[in-house]
Amino acid sequence: MTDLDQRIASVLRERAEGEIDTRRLLRVSRAQGRRRQLRRRAATGTALTLAGILGLVGVTGTDFTGLPGRLPWIATTPTVAPPVPPRADGVPGAAQRPDLVGGDPRVLHLGLDTSRARYLGWNIYGWTQTESIRFSVGGGQPVVVEVSRSAQRLNDAAIDGPGSQRITVPPLAFDGGVQPLGTTGGLAKGWQPVPGVYARVTMLVGDRAALERAVDVLRWDEARRCEAPLRLTTLPKDATLTDCDVDVSAVPNGLRAQYTIGRGESAAMYVRLMYGAQIAGSRSDGNRTVDGRPAYLSPDGATLELLDIPKAHLVAAFGWLWPGIDPAKGYVSFTEADATTVLAGAQVPKDLSDPETWD
């Protein structure tokens, strides 16, 4: 769990019996957000979550607009069909087209044998052109597989350990060898599943047998949509989807999906869906409409939220520039009109707690 997650969780625990101090949450998240995004986009640091997740309890009428990080949900034993990213029809997997790996933020070019493994999350980072899946095998400890067409990008990427600890993975030769993760008791393996594609599997706890079982459930002959359950069907002019990051480890009780939209070298918009069965209420004082639906523009004019999704928050944070950009140099960021375009085309399943309705 990152430092941002710990701060948010601390606020939630302090206010578990009452209303959340959303201004404090926003101050914390915005102060940390740009630094975290810079780390995530740096070629030397794609963070992948392997740590356990904290629970959200007693939240009523919570406003999470503007949060750039990951909200911690409590992972529970699923009572519905396990979540699976829908197939990307007509798209070949890494085995057939290794040159496509990491090239499309909407598509994962690998999958899992779901008879033996459960998806916990998946993401694609356009900056590093890296795809990853977090999963468990037989109810065991979480495992992360990362794939890229560059061995160096994988070797440069650290992983998240317990708390806010950052763990550097020893450089791998990608020859199938297994190496320990320092003193954590974890293991890492690197190999080439197909020529031109490099893969790294890491786990914080487990032995070589568990690691090999995890490798064995990977499927390289299929492609799946990263955009699930939330799908963005319309983007502003001259904008592109750059990142896709989904956490389904707490389904059916909660989930998070966050996508990053970029424009040129300066503008960034973060579109985030958060669902929680424990969210008892939501904002009702809309001051905008999006395609006839009630919406709320934050007082600082930087976030726009749709208000008619039960037990969920769908927010577009649009007043951002990429880290290191000087706004005084005339760079143009996204606008409320751009956020309205994105939210108007956002598709959300009727039942976020049931993965069978996501496709």
Side-chain angles (χ1 to χ4, degrees):
M1 181 169 51
T2 65
D3 179 61
L4 174 59
D5 294 330
Q6 287 182 318
R7 290 170 181 260
I8 294 175
S10 175
V11 175
L12 294 174
R13 285 195 297 268
E14 290 172 10
R15 304 291 295 172
E17 299 303 324
E19 295 184 359
I20 300 299
D21 183 349
T22 57
R23 292 184 179 179
R24 182 180 170 193
L25 281 176
L26 288 174
R27 286 196 302 270
V28 170
S29 65
R30 287 177 177 161
Q32 296 279 338
R34 295 197 178 211
R35 291 195 295 272
R36 187 175 186 214
Q37 188 67 18
L38 179 59
R39 290 199 305 270
R40 180 172 276 181
R41 294 193 160 275
T44 57
T46 299
L48 299 171
T49 302
L50 287 170
I53 319 171
L54 291 180
L56 177 65
V57 181
V59 178
T60 303
T62 308
D63 177 9
F64 290 104
T65 55
L67 290 180
R70 183 183 70 254
L71 180 68
W73 301 104
I74 184 167
T76 58
T77 302
T79 57
V80 298
V84 177
R87 286 187 177 274
D89 295 332
V91 181
Q96 293 80 28
R97 290 290 304 275
D99 59 303
L100 297 180
V101 170
D104 185 348
R106 298 178 184 268
V107 179
L108 295 159
H109 295 88
L110 74 160
L112 304 176
D113 178 354
T114 54
S115 68
R116 295 186 290 159
R118 181 182 189 269
Y119 285 89
L120 301 177
W122 50 85
N123 57 58
I124 303 172
Y125 296 128
W127 182 263
T128 58
Q129 295 188 327
T130 301
E131 304 176 13
S132 74
I133 297 175
R134 187 163 60 98
F135 62 101
S136 62
V137 179
Q141 294 293 321
V143 180
V144 169
V145 57
E146 306 155 82
V147 296
S148 176
R149 283 174 287 147
S150 168
Q152 190 62 46
R153 285 172 181 161
L154 295 184
N155 273 334
D156 285 344
I159 62 174
D160 285 350
S164 58
Q165 180 184 3
R166 298 277 292 166
I167 299 176
T168 300
V169 180
L172 302 173
F174 296 94
D175 57 1
V178 177
Q179 296 189 31
L181 289 179
T183 60
T184 68
L187 296 171
K189 175 179 179 174
W191 77 105
Q192 292 189 62
V194 295
V197 175
Y198 299 88
R200 183 177 77 175
V201 165
T202 51
M203 56 192 307
L204 292 182
V205 179
D207 55 23
R208 290 184 178 234
L211 187 70
E212 294 302 336
R213 286 194 296 272
V215 170
D216 193 49
V217 304
L218 300 174
R219 295 293 176 262
W220 304 98
D221 59 351
E222 62 184 59
R224 297 192 172 272
R225 296 202 314 262
C226 188
E227 284 184 292
L230 172 65
R231 298 188 68 182
L232 304 181
T233 65
T234 57
L235 297 181
K237 183 180 178 181
D238 299 326
T240 59
L241 184 72
T242 64
D243 295 347
C244 169
D245 191 352
V246 180
D247 186 337
V248 295
S249 58
V251 168
N253 292 333
L255 63 84
R256 176 204 46 80
Q258 177 169 298
Y259 310 131
T260 305
I261 299 171
R263 175 186 279 158
E265 298 180 353
S266 61
M269 182 190 303
Y270 305 98
V271 182
R272 162 177 262 205
L273 171 69
M274 290 187 294
Y275 165 78
Q278 294 165 320
I279 296 179
S282 61
R283 181 187 297 278
S284 59
D285 53 336
N287 56 14
R288 295 289 191 276
T289 59
V290 172
D291 197 23
R293 302 165 62 184
Y296 178 78
L297 181 70
S298 61
D300 62 2
T303 62
L304 185 66
E305 178 181 1
L306 279 180
L307 302 180
D308 59 354
I309 306 174
K311 299 184 178 181
H313 299 275
L314 177 55
V315 180
F318 55 88
W320 293 78
L321 297 176
W322 293 128
I325 295 294
D326 181 2
K329 293 183 178 180
Y331 292 105
V332 178
S333 64
F334 286 107
T335 65
E336 179 186 345
D338 293 324
T340 300
T341 296
V342 173
L343 293 182
Q347 295 182 352
V348 181
K350 291 183 178 180
D351 188 353
L352 288 167
S353 68
D354 184 0
E356 292 187 336
T357 70
W358 293 0
D359 192 4

